[in-house]
């Protein structure tokens, strides 16, 4: 049985308002499957003229709709695409889930970078306080006089603060430029860390020799007027670590060209105790003390390093995920 051209053109029309429930209960034999999902799009047709079939001829035996005739209708014909509606609902649900995940990612990235930004502000404040109140506390090495504890803390705090600021603003504003800058900064820091770590392990012996020699050269500046910071640095580390010199208290004899040591090298500290040759001094060098401390805490230091590495990788991954999503959609997600 062939369908007329008017039936083919009316397949997407909406149901008329005067349709009865009996019409929806009895789909015609021309209903077909849509999309291959197993849902039948029931096409309900009304008779418009001489095409009237008997109930026994049109319906198979046992059909409950046998004997019922379809009422005459206008030129509107109804087709319900249940399968297409179901697919639309599924896609809408997926879009909502993706949008929720991206909003969660955005706020997580903002929160973590806010914490980093606050930590950077704290480090910067501590470094400035050390530089102002403890300005005489400098470095042990005469080759790098500006490499003091205060300057190191200020530098690290500034880097952390800038990186956290880029991550915070890039995430909350969904700004592609800030997110890309955040990714590049983290990548540069990660590459610098890896290069320094590789060079350190590749030239460990040479680094140790140069460091010891540079520290020994700095001992000769202990009593000079222009290096009060170096003097204070040695006094603090020898008192706290209970050590003397770089490799031993004899390093002071070679550097000062006389048999004297600083007073902080004495096991019983009092004024000018270092000039008493019969006094007891700390025999272990400070460089060896530092090496022993690093060996004892290598697992802790390794764990901290791995945590920093994981945080950097996660920050890079999250920033690029958010960047790609914003670039693909071309608009912001409203949270």
């Amino acid at each position: 049985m062939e369908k007329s051209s008017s039936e083919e053109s009316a397949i997407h029309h909406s149901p008329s308002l005067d349709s009865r429930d009996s019409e929806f209960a009895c789909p015609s034999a021309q209903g077909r499957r849509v999309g291959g999902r197993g849902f039948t799009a029931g096409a309900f047709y009304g008779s418009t003229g001489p095409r009237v079939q008997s109930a026994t001829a049109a319906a198979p035996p046992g059909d409950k709709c046998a004997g019922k005739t379809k009422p005459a209708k206008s030129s509107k014909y109804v087709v319900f695409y249940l399968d297409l509606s179901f697919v639309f609902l599924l896609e809408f649900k997926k879009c909502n889930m993706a949008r929720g995940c991206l909003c969660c990612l955005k706020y997580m990235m903002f929160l973590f970078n806010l914490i980093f930004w606050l930590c950077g502000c704290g480090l910067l404040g501590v470094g400035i306080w050390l530089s102002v109140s403890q300005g005489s506390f400098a470095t042990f090495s005469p080759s790098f006089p500006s490499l003091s504890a205060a300057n190191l803390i200020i530098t690290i705090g500034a880097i952390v603060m800038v990186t956290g600021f880029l991550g915070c603003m890039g995430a909350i504003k969904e700004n592609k430029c800030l997110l890309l800058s955040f990714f590049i900064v983290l990548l540069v820091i990660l590459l610098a860390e890896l290069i320094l770590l590789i060079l350190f392990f590749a030239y460990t012996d040479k680094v140790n020799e140069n460091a010891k020699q540079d520290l020994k050269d700095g001992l000769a500046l202990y009593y000079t007027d222009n290096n009060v910071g170096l003097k204070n640095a040695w006094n603090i580390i020898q008192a706290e670590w209970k050590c003397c010199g770089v490799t031993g208290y004899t390093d002071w004899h070679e550097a000062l060209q006389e048999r004297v040591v600083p007073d902080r090298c004495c096991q019983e500290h009092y004024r000018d105790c270092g000039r008493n040759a019969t006094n007891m001094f700390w025999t272990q060098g400070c460089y060896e003390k530092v090496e022993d401390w690093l060996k004892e805490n290598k697992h802790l230091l390794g764990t901290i390093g791995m945590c920093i590495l994981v945080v950097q990788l996660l920050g890079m991954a999250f920033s690029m995920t958010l960047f790609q999503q914003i670039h693909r959609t071309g608009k912001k997600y409203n949270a």
Side-chain angles (χ1 to χ4, degrees), residues 12 55 61 99 133 142 144 147 169 219 235 240 256 306 315 325 330:
H12 294 288
R99 183 172 179 177
S133 62
F144 304 97
L147 194 63
M169 298 304 296
L219 297 180
N235 287 338
E240 295 293 330
L256 300 177
M306 289 300 297
Q325 189 62 31

Side-chain angles (χ1 to χ4, degrees), residues 31-221:
R32 51 179 178 163
R33 296 180 180 271
V34 179
R37 293 178 178 268
F39 290 90
T40 302
F44 299 90
Y45 300 98
S47 57
T48 60
R51 295 180 59 193
V52 179
Q53 297 179 352
S54 63
T56 57
D63 192 354
K64 295 181 180 180
C65 296
K68 295 182 181 180
T69 58
K70 297 182 176 65
K73 299 178 64 66
S74 61
S75 61
K76 293 182 179 179
Y77 299 92
V78 183
V79 176
F80 291 96
Y81 286 98
L82 299 179
D83 190 24
L84 296 180
S85 300
F86 182 71
V87 171
F88 174 76
L89 291 175
L90 283 179
E91 294 298 328
F92 183 73
K93 186 176 181 180
K94 289 179 181 178
C95 290
N96 284 338
M97 292 177 63
R99 183 172 179 177
C101 291
L102 285 173
C103 288
C104 181
L105 176 62
K106 178 178 75 172
Y107 286 113
M108 284 180 60
M109 185 174 173
F110 170 77
L111 180 61
F112 284 119
N113 282 283
L114 179 62
I115 295 174
F116 293 149
W117 181 78
L118 293 175
C119 292
C121 292
L123 288 174
L124 186 62
V126 171
I128 294 174
W129 175 78
L130 284 176
S131 180
V132 173
S133 62
Q134 304 290 334
S136 58
F137 184 84
T139 179
F140 297 99
S141 173
S143 301
F144 304 97
S146 60
L147 194 63
S148 62
N151 292 339
L152 282 175
I153 295 176
I154 289 174
T155 304
I156 295 173
I159 294 174
V160 173
M161 188 178 66
V162 171
T163 307
F165 175 79
L166 292 175
C168 283
M169 298 304 296
I172 200 65
K173 296 294 185 181
E174 297 184 9
N175 189 295
K176 293 193 296 183
C177 181
L178 292 177
L179 288 173
L180 185 60
S181 300
F182 175 76
F183 175 83
I184 293 174
V185 170
L186 283 182
L187 181 61
V188 170
I189 293 174
L190 180 62
L191 291 177
E193 292 172 350
L194 292 177
I195 291 173
L196 290 177
L197 193 63
I198 292 172
L199 291 176
F200 177 77
F201 283 108
Y203 300 98
T204 303
D205 296 335
K206 191 172 183 179
V207 169
N208 288 331
E209 292 177 2
N210 291 335
K212 288 180 181 179
Q213 186 60 42
D214 193 42
L215 291 174
K216 289 180 179 180
D217 294 339
L219 297 180
L221 305 175

Side-chain angles (χ1 to χ4, degrees), residues 216-227:
K216 289 180 179 180
D217 294 339
L219 297 180
L221 305 175
Y222 183 81
Y223 286 112
T224 57
D225 296 334
N226 296 329
N227 292 278

Side-chain angles (χ1 to χ4, degrees), residues 190 304-316:
L190 180 62
I304 295 174
M306 289 300 297
C307 291
I308 294 174
L309 177 63
V310 169
V311 169
Q312 289 176 337
L313 293 177
L314 288 178
M316 294 169 62

